[in-house]
Amino acid sequence: MFTHFGRLRTRIPLILAAAAAILMCAFLLHGIHADAAEERVKTARPSINGALRVSGQNLVDQYGDIVTLRGVSTHGLTWFPDVIDPRVFKTLAKDWRCNLIRLVAYSQVYCEEDDGAETIMPLLEKGIEYAIENDMYVLVDWHILEDNDPNIHKDQAAEFFEYMSKKYADVPNVLYEICNEPNGGTTWSDISAYANEIIPVIRANSPDSVVIVGTPDYDRSPIVAAMSPLTFENVMYTFHFYAGSHYDVLDAQLRVALDRGLPIFVTECGVSEESGDGKLDFENAAKWFTLLKQNNISYTVWSLSNKKESSAFIQDVVEPPFTLADNELTLMGMYAKQLIRGTDPASINAEGSTGAMNLLEQIKNVFFTAGSQGINAAMDWPRIALYTLLAMIAVLILSGVYALYVKSAN
Ligand code: IDC
């Protein structure tokens, strides 16, 4: 009886160590499994992929490889200036794995409001600075909307793009969206006339930059552009959708334009209704985002703001400065984060995902959020190696402590 117990007692460290090892393995596997559910995103970064250009229908990097940009769109910069914060950009780049941010300059505010331009420009320039610091591409958006035809403010647009393209001529991060959403009676021929004047302004300073051009009816009519595309190189065309409002009919517009070989960039899209508010249709969103993924289409999601509307990522009760911690996010914010991180759109569980970070995420944050150069697939193996090392150390400590205990008991 005693010898039995004695033998068992000497084996306890071993049993404990094995139990600890099993626990750590389970923990590890959970981590690997959680990561495996996320696509191995080829996260293009300016420091690695350099200046982008358009080849056929695709956005390609400096080596000619196809890349996809995924990220967020701000709301109007003058209305929600507090998102232009270095911590917010860092979290977007590292934790959300955004490789793109769209900075929204409403042309009406710029052109028609007192101090409009003076308020927008510093925010825009700070935003570009933070995007560069965080190795993200950045889309400069001349956001026409209620001024439905870009020709209305064409002279100011020319001035704006002349300034921007000169200032950022040698910066590979910057892409230009020259008119957000032409609408009303604005035709493709109106838009072409505008583009034919604005693109040369940009090209004079920054000959190879990517320029994205809006299409009629709020960027929902790319087919007319496909029938009569512009003659410039490195040009893409815009398509926008809101999953709460847009179903199969619109999806045909995108498919036909793609079939006709048009290079498409979804510079803005949403899960809400087209008003930016109302219901969030995650099921329909899964269809849209799957279609984008299948066609390597880049996109940004609306919107990085704390406006009280369903498309906003940050809860309206959250006061700046924002950190983008999970407990600040809305349902839409949690969805956007998972989507951009690479989770398969059909398997995102937006409802179940709000709330505190799990243990694994906390550990990841401690070790990897600070100072690293943009998370990409290559980070995964060092991370796994580190977890394994931690697990081994834990096992050693546990068995050591128990061995000491057994020794002292004897
Ligand atoms: C919406 C905002 C809303 C704002 C409105 C007018 O969500 O808070 O009051 O603009 O400025 C777009 C536009 C984008 C819209 C968005 C949602 O590009 O400016 O933002 N949307 O309505 N096109 C389709 C939807």
Side-chain angles (χ1 to χ4, degrees), residues 160-228:
F160 172 83
F161 284 110
E162 151 71 9
Y163 175 84
M164 297 304 286
S165 59
K166 189 174 269 169
K167 178 153 186 174
Y168 299 103
D170 302 319
V171 180
N173 306 56
V174 183
L175 292 82
Y176 300 98
E177 181 178 5
I178 61 174
C179 48
N180 169 49
E181 290 184 351
N183 62 82
T186 311
T187 62
W188 175 239
S189 111
D190 300 329
I191 302 166
S192 301
Y194 168 81
N196 285 334
E197 287 197 44
I198 299 298
I199 294 174
V201 170
I202 298 175
R203 291 286 189 256
N205 295 321
S206 181
D208 302 317
S209 51
V210 172
V211 175
I212 305 161
V213 183
T215 61
D217 188 24
Y218 300 93
D219 292 336
R220 290 175 208 148
S221 300
I223 295 176
V224 288
M227 287 178 343
S228 175

Side-chain angles (χ1 to χ4, degrees), residues 228-345:
S228 175
L230 301 168
T231 51
F232 303 95
E233 302 270 294
N234 292 323
V235 166
M236 299 187 94
Y237 301 83
T238 316
F239 178 77
H240 287 178
F241 65 86
Y242 277 76
S245 297
H246 303 136
Y247 296 85
D248 297 348
V249 179
L250 194 57
D251 142 331
Q253 266 284 344
L254 177 59
R255 289 178 196 271
V256 173
L258 287 172
D259 285 348
R260 285 177 168 259
L262 197 73
I264 297 273
F265 200 123
V266 174
T267 56
E268 178 191 308
C269 61
V271 179
S272 70
E273 295 173 23
E274 64 190 6
S275 63
D277 207 358
K279 70 173 181 300
L280 298 171
D281 191 335
F282 293 113
E283 207 179 311
N284 192 36
K287 288 189 199 154
W288 278 112
F289 288 115
T290 304
L291 183 61
L292 300 192
K293 195 164 136 186
Q294 285 163 347
N295 290 283
N296 295 313
I297 296 176
S298 299
Y299 62 83
T300 78
V301 186
W302 185 266
S303 79
L304 179 66
S305 78
N306 68 338
K307 181 158 181 174
K308 194 173 171 50
E309 61 180 7
S310 62
S311 58
F313 300 159
I314 306 168
Q315 294 168 31
D316 63 298
V317 292
V318 177
E319 298 278 343
F322 304 127
T323 66
L324 293 194
D326 285 1
N327 59 11
E328 287 185 1
L329 301 181
T330 58
L331 200 56
M332 185 55 220
M334 284 307 294
Y335 179 87
K337 175 179 171 177
Q338 291 179 72
L339 179 75
I340 294 163
R341 281 174 63 93
T343 306
D344 180 356

